[in-house]
Amino acid sequence: TQELIDAAGITLDQSHAGTGIGGAGAVTAVPFNTDRIAVATAVQRKVPGLYTPEGTPLNRFPFTVWGLISNDFLKHYAYTVDFDAMRIVLQ
């Protein structure tokens, strides 16, 4: 949401926004780069992202979702999804 973009201090690159067709029709994608993204103690800098002003399917959850972790973040780690402990381990 725009509220989360503002809270995170992210600057959108409106000059490179694009429009495409998604499952529910037209969707706009506005790129941005983060200064840094942290998941626990794992930190990456200058991770690219996309903002969709029309909304997100993540707002269906009864909690705030700040975004999705992409390959641009995870490619720096060996990661394990431990479903028994319900945690993700990044090494």
Side-chain angles (χ1 to χ4, degrees), residues 8-89:
I10 293 173
T11 301
L12 299 173
D13 184 1
Q14 296 287 355
S15 68
H16 288 96
T19 302
I21 301 296
V27 63
T28 301
V30 184
F32 62 86
N33 274 299
T34 60
D35 289 330
R36 67 185 177 100
I37 296 286
V39 176
T41 59
V43 178
Q44 290 298 313
R45 298 188 182 284
K46 303 298 181 195
V47 177
L50 291 173
Y51 166 66
T52 53
E54 290 87 7
T56 171
L58 301 175
N59 63 6
R60 297 175 188 233
F61 297 114
F63 48 84
T64 300
V65 177
W66 281 81
L68 301 172
I69 301 171
S70 72
N71 181 60
D72 283 327
F73 182 90
L74 292 174
K75 69 183 178 184
H76 302 281
Y77 303 95
Y79 60 96
T80 302
V81 179
D82 183 343
F83 289 102
D84 291 329
M86 295 304 291
R87 66 184 187 147
I88 296 174
V89 179

